[in-house]
Amino acid sequence: MSDIYESAANSLGLFSSPCLTKVELRLTCKGISDRDALSKPDPCIVLNMQSHGQWMEVDRTEVIRSCVNPTYSKVFTLDFYFEEVQRLRFELYDINSSHNGLKEADFLGSVECTLAQIISQRKLSKALLRPGGTVGKAIITITAEELTGNDDYVELSFSARKLDDKDFFSKSDPFLEIYRLNDDATLQLVYRTETVMNNLNPVWKTFKVSLNSLCSGDHERKLQCTVWDWDSNGKHDYIGEFEATFKEMRGAIDGRQVQWPCINPKYKVKKKNYKNSGIVILNQCKMHSFLDYIMGGCQIQFTVAIDFTASNGDPRNSCSLHYIHPYRPNEYLKALVAVGEICQDYDSDKMFPAFGFGARIPPDYKYTWLHSTTATDTVNVCTYIFCLCDLSGIQGVVEAYQACLPKLQLYGPTNIAPIIQKVAHTASQEVHTKEAMQYFILLILTDGVITDMADTREAIVQASHLPMSVIIVGIGNADFSDMQMLDGDDGILRSPKGEPVLRDIVQFVPFRNFKHASPAALAKSVLAEVPNQVVDYYNSKGIKPKPVVTVHPKVIVNTDA
């Protein structure tokens, strides 16, 4: 192990994990005032966490239409560090009905606290501070629950037939809510489906939920499921309910349907011939975890792309982002080691393709052009990329990076679409196998705002159909605000032609937010979504994990005795 590699690894604390536990936060809000006299608010809560004096968005709830007392089904999962003050801010917005982003939303106020305060009280209620600092009437309640360690996810697909019609001039608009019965006899909302309009035989979208959220890992815990007829004024009509357990739901794992009668207790008492208010059907229950795929032989193919554009500064200058100090690793090295150390353990051959882009290379210091990977495109689209070769482990990438720096002329521009397309071409070959054998992760380390945004959006949309994830780490202090669009945090990413991504595959993180963070925080942040992205891809293709093969050791008999 090289000194600089070891220094980077030690500075990131990759050999220890100070995270004490993981906690789930659930939110409710009461008493939101009507800013518009003609309609009720459509509230959404955004969770921000403070890092080095700056607030960063962590996650956000769903939008609940026409509601002054929302209960959110979205669960925030956070790492809890006992030795740190983890400051949180919950911001309440009234979302424009035609746009789910925050740009056109009305900011209603916020609540600040620490994660430790929530955990110590288990349920923390605070009044909303409105714009200007005045105390509002709305109350936000945050409930904390420690994860039990069972983070397997289950995918459920519900439908119903012959539901009661609650509307005079049209059919019911049904949605389903699932509540978990807690040990203290209270009910906790686990999930709320979308509303299917004007349909007594709805088919709700498949959704995924952790077993922690669903039943606290207890397969026999009671679940109360309620069906409602949605009304635009927020006063939804009750259709009926039924009780279930996850043990019962598991009956649909092999594709068999599980059914429950939807009962309205009042009708059952009043009507002699009452049978039910419809039938709710669980069509499918899938339960494959990230580890199922990994233990079944799925390999993580890790590719690195490093920005060698001139905006990084001359590597010989100590102010350069590429400056190699004999004892202190630069940000490129820290980010490379933090992410690569994790990924390399899931790659059996540990041979990593590594690329540079934006530089002129010897001997003639012209661009190296890699030919188009598409059959219909005859022009050379993958410009400015040069190969550092397939390297053995992260140490090999670090050594190649250090060795090539003195030989390059940093140039530009910052085009990343070609490298996404190149890895996507390799990943597209995996699609034909129809097995969970290889999943591709592309790590892009860049110091600047990308100059081919339209092409990059197109490349990401196409890559979202493939077994592939893209991690972009912003190095330095550039304005990375445009990068957030690639992450899909402010709505669904679309290509220039309007085609949406099939699934979210991009995670962008500015390194400056982790300069003084807890050890390995960068790796945790950028890789947190990868296990779900792997499972989401294979589930969407109906590809199951390969069964784990148990290898029995050979017994050698000594025949010379």
Side-chain angles (χ1 to χ4, degrees):
M1 182 182 290
S2 65
D3 292 340
I4 195 72
Y5 170 71
E6 186 172 6
S7 176
N10 288 335
S11 69
L12 285 162
L14 292 171
F15 309 113
S16 62
S17 179
C19 175
L20 185 63
T21 188
K22 287 182 177 290
V23 294
E24 290 184 337
L25 303 182
R26 293 178 172 83
L27 305 178
T28 62
C29 195
K30 290 187 176 181
I32 302 175
S33 59
D34 294 345
R35 294 170 64 89
D36 186 345
L38 300 178
S39 64
K40 293 182 179 179
D42 302 326
C44 170
I45 297 179
V46 177
L47 170 60
N48 295 272
M49 181 175 286
Q50 193 177 68
S51 177
H52 318 305
Q54 294 184 333
W55 291 102
M56 298 186 303
E57 179 178 337
V58 176
D59 209 341
R60 62 181 68 174
T61 67
E62 72 274 21
V63 178
I64 299 182
R65 301 296 179 189
S66 301
C67 188
V68 295
N69 301 306
T71 297
Y72 295 97
S73 62
K74 171 70 177 180
V75 177
F76 297 142
T77 303
L78 300 178
D79 289 339
F80 169 57
Y81 297 91
F82 176 78
E83 70 279 10
E84 294 183 17
V85 178
Q86 296 172 269
R87 300 189 185 279
L88 308 178
R89 182 167 71 194
F90 299 87
E91 297 176 343
L92 181 65
Y93 290 88
D94 182 6
I95 303 297
N96 183 292
S97 59
S98 61
H99 190 275
N100 281 340
L102 299 183
K103 292 181 180 179
E104 300 177 15
D106 293 324
F107 175 62
L108 303 182
S110 63
V111 164
E112 293 185 16
C113 61
T114 66
L115 183 56
Q117 287 175 323
I118 302 172
I119 291 174
S120 62
Q121 299 184 38
R122 296 190 66 84
K123 181 179 287 187
L124 177 66
S125 296
K126 295 192 71 172
L128 191 77
L129 286 181
R130 295 181 296 194
T134 59
V135 178
K137 295 181 179 179
I139 303 293
I140 293 180
T141 299
I142 310 126
T143 305
E145 181 179 7
E146 181 180 358
L147 287 179
T148 61
N150 187 345
D151 56 356
D152 282 341
Y153 279 78
V154 59
E155 195 173 272
L156 303 173
S157 178
F158 282 93
S159 64
R161 68 170 183 264
K162 297 183 179 179
L163 294 176
D164 285 351
D165 193 350
K166 295 291 183 178
D167 295 335
F168 290 107
F169 302 107
S170 63
K171 296 177 182 178
S172 294
D173 308 316
F175 66 93
L176 171 68
E177 290 184 331
I178 300 176
Y179 289 83
R180 181 189 72 207
L181 182 63
N182 295 323
D183 293 334
D184 60 359
T186 59
L187 291 174
Q188 175 66 57
L189 178 64
V190 173
Y191 190 80
R192 180 188 296 113
T193 70
E194 77 286 1
T195 299
V196 178
M197 304 300 290
N198 195 31
N199 197 325
L200 302 182
N201 301 292
V203 177
W204 291 291
K205 292 180 181 178
T206 299
F207 63 92
K208 191 166 65 172
V209 64
S210 73
L211 285 183
N212 276 302
S213 294
L214 182 64
C215 59
S216 299
D218 179 2
H219 292 197
E220 297 187 355
R221 182 180 294 272
K222 287 185 178 181
L223 305 172
Q224 181 174 305
C225 307
T226 308
V227 181
W228 300 87
D229 170 31
W230 179 85
D231 281 333
S232 58
N233 61 7
K235 297 180 179 179
H236 312 307
D237 296 320
Y238 174 79
I239 294 178
E241 64 185 50
F242 62 95
E243 281 191 352
T245 65
F246 179 63
K247 184 178 180 179
E248 295 171 355
M249 293 180 179
R250 285 174 58 189
I253 281 183
D254 296 327
R256 299 187 301 270
Q257 290 184 341
V258 180
Q259 301 182 2
W260 297 269
C262 186
I263 303 298
N264 186 322
K266 291 184 179 179
Y267 290 177
K268 191 173 183 179
V269 173
K270 293 181 179 179
K271 298 181 179 181
K272 292 183 179 180
N273 297 324
Y274 175 78
K275 292 183 178 180
N276 56 62
S277 294
I279 301 294
V280 176
I281 306 156
L282 177 60
N283 299 292
Q284 198 167 48
C285 176
K286 291 183 180 179
M287 191 178 173
H288 298 311
S289 69
F290 174 67
L291 289 182
D292 289 335
Y293 288 101
I294 295 299
M295 295 176 71
C298 182
Q299 296 290 305
I300 301 296
Q301 300 296 329
F302 183 56
T303 300
V304 179
I306 301 175
D307 182 343
F308 290 107
T309 55
S311 55
N312 284 279
D314 188 340
R316 295 169 295 183
N317 190 316
S318 60
C319 295
S320 170
L321 294 171
H322 281 304
Y323 179 70
I324 301 296
H325 191 281
Y327 305 111
R328 294 193 301 273
N330 61 34
E331 292 184 9
Y332 277 97
L333 282 168
K334 286 184 178 181
L336 173 62
V337 172
V339 179
E341 270 285 345
I342 306 299
C343 292
Q344 71 178 359
D345 287 340
Y346 299 100
D347 188 336
S348 59
D349 65 11
K350 296 190 170 42
M351 297 300 293
F352 298 153
F355 296 90
F357 61 92
R360 288 174 166 174
I361 62 175
D364 53 6
Y365 292 97
K366 292 181 179 179
Y367 290 127
T368 294
W369 294 47
L370 297 180
H371 289 282
S372 170
T373 56
T374 62
T376 58
D377 193 355
T378 58
V379 298
N380 296 325
V381 295
C382 292
T383 57
Y384 321 127
I385 301 175
F386 63 93
C387 184
L388 300 175
C389 299
D390 283 358
L391 301 163
S392 179
I394 291 304
Q395 180 182 354
V397 180
V398 168
E399 292 171 353
Y401 165 74
Q402 292 177 266
C404 79
L405 271 174
K407 305 173 185 177
L408 303 177
Q409 285 184 1
L410 274 60
Y411 201 67
T414 308
N415 290 350
I416 67 173
I419 188 62
I420 296 175
Q421 292 166 346
K422 177 162 183 60
V423 176
H425 174 66
T426 306
S428 67
Q429 307 304 309
E430 177 69 10
V431 174
H432 304 300
T433 67
K434 299 190 183 304
E435 290 185 319
M437 294 305 297
Q438 294 187 91
Y439 191 91
F440 296 80
I441 295 179
L442 170 60
L443 171 63
I444 300 175
L445 306 176
T446 179
D447 83 309
V449 178
I450 62 177
T451 51
D452 62 343
M453 179 62 79
D455 289 341
T456 297
R457 287 163 52 198
E458 178 68 33
I460 290 171
V461 168
Q462 299 308 315
S464 69
H465 295 260
L466 303 173
M468 178 176 169
S469 294
V470 180
I471 297 168
I472 306 174
V473 179
I475 305 296
N477 296 314
D479 179 8
F480 294 115
S481 56
D482 287 345
M483 291 286 201
Q484 302 297 339
M485 179 176 64
L486 301 180
D487 204 347
D489 286 342
D490 199 25
I492 297 175
L493 177 69
R494 296 179 181 271
S495 73
K497 299 176 183 177
E499 180 185 355
V501 289
L502 184 65
R503 56 193 186 91
D504 181 14
I505 65 168
V506 177
Q507 176 76 341
F508 170 75
V509 173
F511 185 87
R512 60 174 174 256
N513 293 339
F514 295 87
K515 273 188 175 181
H516 309 290
S518 58
L522 173 66
K524 290 179 181 179
S525 177
V526 300
L527 293 173
E529 297 180 7
V530 168
N532 282 344
Q533 289 172 352
V534 172
V535 174
D536 284 347
Y537 172 77
Y538 289 119
N539 277 343
S540 69
K541 298 296 182 181
I543 299 174
K544 296 181 179 180
K546 297 186 74 173
V548 180
V549 178
T550 303
V551 179
H552 298 285
K554 294 181 179 179
V555 178
I556 300 176
V557 180
N558 187 349
T559 58
D560 296 332

